[in-house]
Amino acid sequence: SKAPGHGRKRERLFAEYTDANPQTEDPHGFNIVTDAPKRIAIIGAGIGGASLAHAFSRRGADVTVFDKSGPGQGASGNPLALVMPRLDAEDNLTSRILIDAYLHARAVYSGLPVGTETSSEHRSPHDAERQRFKKVLADPPLPPEALAAGPDGALQHKRSLIIEPAKLLPALLQSSRLVISDPYIDLEAATVEGEPFDAVILATGMALADMPDTAWLPLVARL
């Protein structure tokens, strides 16, 4: 249709397109709505499994964690862990998720007596990496109280956390039921030792390669 123009233009053409079947783009499935599982089994009581247990428990789920040796007996058994952000020079979906994960971890750990705030430096002997640091500092994704330039081209993370897994894991698991056993798992039926669950989550790291029904997952350990 014709419509009044702008400035010296007397008239302009105006068109409006109405899609009868609008499609909302959601390539990562963030907008998928499903019924929240109420009974959850988590296999593995390391940092991954314990963090999942804590998150689901806070959402009101009934969580049971199974581990054949107990919390932190595998890769999560280090005496200390450093929590600092992984920053990319580009602003994309991955870089935003990494920053959100770091900020969320800080928020979770701040409510638990498990660590100490410290300052750490991310250094690199490679010029390409130092150039990436410069790009990050030119448009920092974190405020000055959290991120600054360090000596010799390093990134200084002023709000890193030193975490003690021996204290963290029990705190994350305190609202869940912990079972020390090497249970039989039927993924297709969603049962553990014959007990049905709404969801069964495998959080066993490289031990996944030794579990039944996981041959389709080509895990490779790189040390």
Side-chain angles (χ1 to χ4, degrees):
S1 62
K2 287 185 178 181
H6 300 291
R8 295 182 179 181
K9 190 174 180 65
R10 184 174 59 186
E11 294 177 331
R12 61 188 171 92
L13 291 176
F14 179 82
E16 182 177 354
Y17 173 72
T18 302
D19 189 352
N21 298 295
Q23 299 293 324
T24 301
E25 292 187 6
D26 185 23
H28 304 286
F30 291 150
N31 297 324
I32 295 176
V33 178
T34 60
D35 293 332
K38 296 178 174 57
R39 298 188 72 247
I40 299 174
I42 298 175
I43 315 301
I47 181 64
S51 296
L52 286 166
H54 178 73
F56 280 115
S57 295
R58 291 182 62 184
R59 287 163 174 76
D62 179 13
V63 181
T64 302
V65 180
F66 297 86
D67 195 291
K68 63 180 180 181
S69 303
Q73 297 303 303
S76 300
N78 293 317
L80 296 175
L82 178 65
V83 179
M84 56 179 277
R86 169 66 169 88
L87 302 178
D88 286 337
E90 297 183 6
D91 180 18
N92 52 42
L93 180 64
T94 300
S95 63
R96 293 186 182 191
I97 289 177
L98 290 171
I99 293 174
D100 285 348
Y102 166 70
L103 296 176
H104 180 72
R106 282 193 56 87
V108 172
Y109 296 154
S110 65
L112 302 171
V114 298
T116 304
E117 188 167 283
T118 187
S119 178
S120 63
E121 291 180 2
H122 187 182
R123 300 184 179 184
S124 176
H126 305 293
D127 184 65
E129 185 78 346
R130 291 194 295 269
Q131 291 300 318
R132 184 176 70 82
F133 293 167
K134 287 183 180 180
K135 290 182 180 180
V136 169
L137 291 170
D139 186 16
L142 295 171
E145 60 269 21
L147 182 67
D152 300 323
L155 281 180
Q156 183 183 20
H157 299 281
K158 298 191 285 186
R159 300 189 65 191
S160 299
L161 293 174
I162 296 177
I163 300 295
E164 299 180 60
K167 295 180 180 179
L168 172 63
L169 294 176
L172 293 175
L173 293 167
Q174 62 182 349
S175 297
S176 305
R177 181 167 66 105
L178 177 62
V179 178
I180 309 299
S181 71
D182 188 8
Y184 173 74
I185 306 162
D186 188 331
L187 294 178
E188 185 174 355
T191 62
V192 180
E193 292 289 10
E195 184 179 356
F197 291 90
D198 296 325
V200 177
I201 301 174
L202 305 180
T204 59
M206 278 304 301
L208 272 172
D210 301 324
M211 299 181 67
D213 302 326
T214 58
W216 53 270
L217 191 61
L219 293 179
V220 177
R222 299 187 185 277
L223 303 178

